[in-house]
Amino acid sequence: MKRRAFMLSVAGLAAGISMLPQVSFAAEGTIDWYTSSDSNILDFWTNTVKPAFEAAHPEFKLNLVDAGDGAGIIAIGERAVAAKATNTDPQADFFEAADPLLPAGAIEAGIFVNIKEAGLSNYDKVNPAGIQSDYSLPYRGSQVLLAYDTTKLDPANAPKTWDELVTWIKANPGQFVYNRPDKGGSGGNFVRRAIHQANGLDPSKFTVDNYDETFGNEALGNAWAILSDIAPSLYDNGAYSSGNTQSIQLLAQGVVTMTPVWSDQILQAIDQGVLPETTGLVQLQDLALVGGFTRSVVLETGTNRDAALKLADFMLSEEIQSAILTELGGFPGVSWDHISPELREKFADIIPQQIPTFPGGAWEAAINDGWYRNVAPNVDRTQ
């Protein structure tokens, strides 16, 4: 997947924002839209969403602006809070990816629209698993899957539970690889799926603020035992790839038969010919591997609030939700029963019964440190 070449530094935020393209901000009917996502997302909006939306709503125009990173979006949100205090225009209408809790106090200040109560005609189609706040709209998702070579593994025999996967790994030594958990989310979320397995398949046991050393050692220790058990059966007698991309490369080269991958990255790799059409995809059905949603927010105080809500509603249409699957390689933000039967059939093996998540915070450091110490003590973390 194409990734951003550089990020704005926090120190350069003010300068970065002042250097945004000199367009006619707050023009009536021109939706000022900002993203902090990777360049492939901006490309998708530029080449797919913008022309489709403007064709459906010729009275509106989309002004697409790259905010740099998450800190850039927060800075624009802070500008909106300040503008509200002086009853001036925030010069922003729509954030493609944002947390309405940031900047702190924005919801209380009345900066963001309550999407649930905004009257979107398509809101009832949203996947309930993606709803995190009434003030944000989950419009796309991504999840870790298992990709495999169907010329070596019959799809009928592809593992669909964790126990089946472990059995397959041990029966096919050297044919499975995952990346180090601090080097990419596909391997990191494979490790988290092992943690879920070791803790009763209950993701709710882990929250962003419930880590402590005693609980962490107990909960993670059981997972380290699971991962240590399969380590000798992995690629090259217990080697780990250096990231998401290298795992896909090893699969493309035929070095391994199966590896965990991000859904959007693997679907794009197949579409672009990096991987052959014979690449199979499967999701575990006892408890899926970890994933998540990207959520948009609409600014209540924006000059084009109502137009931005029409854009939000348009993003939930079957046309755009299907394009998220076929062109972007992401997962829909709506429930799968609102996707065409043809696409549901095509992606049947990767439709999750649920989309588990795992908190960051102190858990992330504990997982990375614990994995190196207990599962891969011979791996040099600096390389």
Side-chain angles (χ1 to χ4, degrees), residues 318 336 339-346:
E318 182 174 344
W336 282 84
I339 299 298
S340 70
E342 294 77 16
L343 287 178
R344 289 204 306 272
E345 180 179 357
K346 179 178 180 180

Side-chain angles (χ1 to χ4, degrees), residues 372-383:
Y372 276 101
R373 187 170 57 251
N374 296 283
V375 179
N378 296 323
V379 174
D380 185 349
R381 188 170 184 173
T382 64
Q383 295 183 353

Side-chain angles (χ1 to χ4, degrees), residues 236-282:
D236 197 22
N237 298 312
Y240 304 91
S241 63
S242 61
N244 303 320
T245 300
Q246 190 184 44
S247 292
I248 290 177
Q249 290 172 341
L250 291 171
L251 181 65
Q253 294 163 2
V255 176
V256 298
T257 299
M258 182 183 294
T259 185
V261 294
W262 277 112
S263 57
D264 53 354
Q265 194 170 18
I266 195 67
L267 290 171
Q268 284 193 330
I270 295 171
D271 182 63
Q272 295 169 0
V274 175
L275 286 166
E277 291 291 336
T278 52
T279 302
L281 301 172
V282 68

Side-chain angles (χ1 to χ4, degrees), residues 128-148:
I131 297 175
Q132 190 176 65
S133 165
D134 292 348
Y135 292 84
S136 61
L137 182 69
Y139 86 93
R140 62 180 171 91
S142 185
Q143 190 164 16
V144 175
L145 310 167
L146 298 174
Y148 64 98

Side-chain angles (χ1 to χ4, degrees), residues 11-22:
L13 280 176
I17 291 172
S18 68
M19 293 173 62
L20 290 174
Q22 297 301 304

Side-chain angles (χ1 to χ4, degrees), residues 179-184 188 191-192 220 224 240-243 361-383:
N179 64 259
R180 290 177 275 168
D182 62 336
K183 302 298 183 182
V191 169
R192 285 157 175 77
L220 301 182
W224 305 148
Y240 304 91
S241 63
S242 61
W363 282 109
E364 183 170 0
I367 289 170
N368 292 338
D369 294 344
W371 184 86
Y372 276 101
R373 187 170 57 251
N374 296 283
V375 179
N378 296 323
V379 174
D380 185 349
R381 188 170 184 173
T382 64
Q383 295 183 353

Side-chain angles (χ1 to χ4, degrees), residues 9 60 66 97 100 130 147 175 186 196 207 220 266 313 317 323 329 353 355:
S9 68
F60 302 130
D66 186 349
Q175 292 303 301
S186 60
H196 286 155
T207 65
L220 301 182
I266 195 67
D313 208 26
S317 66
Q353 300 303 310
I355 303 181

